[in-house]
Amino acid sequence: MRVLLVEDDPGVREALELGLALEGHEVRSTENPKEALSLLPWAEVVVLDVLLPEGDGFSLLKEIRARSEVPVLMLTALDAVEWRVKGLREGADDYLVKPYSLSELLARLEALVRRTKGPSEVLAYKDLRLYPKRMEAFRGERRLSLPPKAFLLLKAFLESPEEVLSKEALMHRVWGEEVEPATLEVHLSLLRKALGEPNPIQTVRGYGYRLFLP
């Protein structure tokens, strides 16, 4: 899992980073809400402390929910029922009260990812990720600004990475019918420009195009 940890206690952060890393998961941590939002596209699941030095976790939770459907597990030292209800009503997917065991935290995170990450939730290849339901695409941590047809072209390539797709196949996947070759070329050009270098869309002369990165 790619876990974004938003926690203000340095000791807790370090312990969780180490524990999650030893279990084979990638972790990025911060106590800063702005930095957390910038890392959001990278994350598969968020661990969010209720109490933060620059505002409370509930405010950040609202910002996260305005941008993403990524699962969020909230941590708190406050065991009052109203706090848990508040978090769940404002968009948290689960709640864990301190102190807790690492094994319980891991089990809850894995369950959240299993529930929310279906087979079509994300299409990925190398440093490219596309979220069909959210209509979002990323290269690394950079969000791609794509017109609708260019987005659908990228989706078609990510559904068949490294496979050569003919012009006709791309037309039918994106437009539902054959269109003028120039129309396809225009949108391929927009996609290539948005992806940047090294460009992963290769022209296979006489056959079509493929998505490939070494």
Side-chain angles (χ1 to χ4, degrees), residues 10-37:
V12 174
R13 278 205 313 272
E14 290 177 13
L16 285 178
E17 285 175 356
L18 178 59
L20 290 167
L22 287 173
E23 292 293 329
H25 304 296
E26 296 180 65
V27 186
R28 296 190 183 182
S29 65
T30 181
E31 63 179 73
N32 184 281
K34 289 184 178 179
E35 185 178 2
L37 291 172

Side-chain angles (χ1 to χ4, degrees), residues 144-157:
L144 302 175
S145 179
L146 296 172
K149 296 303 183 187
F151 181 89
L152 292 175
L153 279 170
L154 180 57
K155 180 174 180 287
F157 283 118

Side-chain angles (χ1 to χ4, degrees), residues 63-119:
E63 290 285 338
I64 291 172
R65 278 292 160 260
R67 302 178 183 213
S68 173
E69 296 178 4
V70 65
V72 177
L73 171 68
M74 296 199 79
L75 300 177
T76 182
L78 306 170
D79 195 17
V81 172
E82 57 264 30
W83 283 87
R84 282 177 281 170
V85 171
K86 179 178 174 64
L88 294 169
R89 282 182 172 170
E90 294 190 3
D93 297 276
D94 202 354
Y95 222 97
L96 195 55
V97 178
K98 300 175 182 178
Y100 51 84
S101 68
L102 178 62
S103 59
E104 182 181 7
L105 175 67
L106 276 168
R108 287 175 180 257
L109 293 179
E110 289 165 357
L112 285 177
V113 171
R114 280 198 305 271
R115 289 204 303 266
T116 59
K117 188 178 178 182

Side-chain angles (χ1 to χ4, degrees), residues 142-167:
R142 177 171 63 89
R143 181 172 179 171
L144 302 175
S145 179
L146 296 172
K149 296 303 183 187
F151 181 89
L152 292 175
L153 279 170
L154 180 57
K155 180 174 180 287
F157 283 118
L158 284 169
E159 287 172 340
S160 307
E162 300 189 4
E163 179 183 332
V164 178
L165 300 175
S166 68
K167 291 183 178 181

Side-chain angles (χ1 to χ4, degrees), residues 106-209:
L106 276 168
R108 287 175 180 257
L109 293 179
E110 289 165 357
L112 285 177
V113 171
R114 280 198 305 271
R115 289 204 303 266
T116 59
K117 188 178 178 182
S120 63
E121 174 65 20
V122 59
L123 297 171
Y125 172 74
K126 300 297 176 75
D127 62 347
L128 293 170
R129 301 192 317 281
L130 183 144
Y131 300 85
K133 293 180 181 179
R134 289 157 38 185
M135 293 294 290
E136 293 179 333
F138 298 86
R139 184 159 196 186
E141 295 181 17
R142 177 171 63 89
R143 181 172 179 171
L144 302 175
S145 179
L146 296 172
K149 296 303 183 187
F151 181 89
L152 292 175
L153 279 170
L154 180 57
K155 180 174 180 287
F157 283 118
L158 284 169
E159 287 172 340
S160 307
E162 300 189 4
E163 179 183 332
V164 178
L165 300 175
S166 68
K167 291 183 178 181
E168 292 75 20
L170 287 170
M171 290 174 186
H172 280 280
R173 288 200 194 188
V174 175
W175 284 271
E177 60 182 357
E178 290 192 24
V179 296
E180 290 293 327
T183 301
L184 174 63
E185 292 294 339
V186 166
H187 289 89
L188 279 171
S189 177
L190 291 172
L191 175 58
R192 283 176 163 143
K193 183 177 180 181
L195 289 171
E197 297 296 337
N199 204 283
I201 308 296
Q202 294 185 342
T203 300
V204 182
R205 296 193 181 279
Y207 293 95
Y209 306 90

